């Protein structure tokens, strides 16, 4: 991601702001990617708690009920619940490192 974003120009008077925008973009991307990639495991884990079944049995149950759509079940809520805190943590950590 670092290579794909335009670099902040150190001679610009908006250099610090540009760095923060880059950090915000990278943090939001990481938060969304993390939430999307872990969503299927969250669905499986929650179903395991509800049904008291093992991992493989739960996957079979979900697949029989919903097909492969179970992998994206609850994605919208998960994106809000996971990506915002993760992105915020990454952003503030990066910002504090940059300006200390």
């Amino acid at each position: 991601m670092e290579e794909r974003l335009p670099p902040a120009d150190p001679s610009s008077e908006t250099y610090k702001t540009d760095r923060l925008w880059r950090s915000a973009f990278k943090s939001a991307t990481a938060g969304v990617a993390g939430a999307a990639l872990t969503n299927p495991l969250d669905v499986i884990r929650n179903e395991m708690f509800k049904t008291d079944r093992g991992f493989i049995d739960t996957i079979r149950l979900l697949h029989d009920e919903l097909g492969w759509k179970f992998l994206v079940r609850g994605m919208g809520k998960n994106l809000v619940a996971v990506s915002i805190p993760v992105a915020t943590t990454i952003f503030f950590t990066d910002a504090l490192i940059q300006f200390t």
Side-chain angles (χ1 to χ4, degrees):
M1 163 95 32
E2 188 68 32
E3 298 82 29
R4 294 184 181 262
L5 292 173
D9 181 11
S11 63
S12 170
E13 58 185 52
T14 60
Y15 176 64
K16 287 185 177 181
T17 305
D18 294 343
R19 287 177 59 191
L20 285 176
W21 277 112
R22 286 171 50 85
S23 179
F25 183 77
K26 292 186 294 186
S27 301
T29 302
V32 169
L37 291 172
T38 60
N39 187 70
L41 295 174
D42 290 339
V43 170
I44 294 167
R45 181 195 60 202
N46 290 337
E47 196 67 26
M48 286 172 67
F49 282 125
K50 289 190 321 190
T51 62
D52 200 28
R53 293 176 183 238
F55 185 75
I56 301 298
D57 289 338
T58 302
I59 292 173
R60 285 186 184 126
L61 174 72
L62 286 167
H63 184 266
D64 290 345
E65 288 178 3
L66 303 170
W68 292 112
K69 289 181 181 181
F70 85 86
L71 295 172
V72 294
R73 184 176 87 177
M75 180 76 77
K77 291 177 184 177
N78 199 30
L79 285 174
V80 172
V82 174
S83 65
I84 292 173
V86 169
T88 303
T89 301
I90 294 170
F91 173 75
F92 281 116
T93 302
D94 194 33
L96 291 172
I97 290 171
Q98 287 181 26
F99 297 113
T100 56

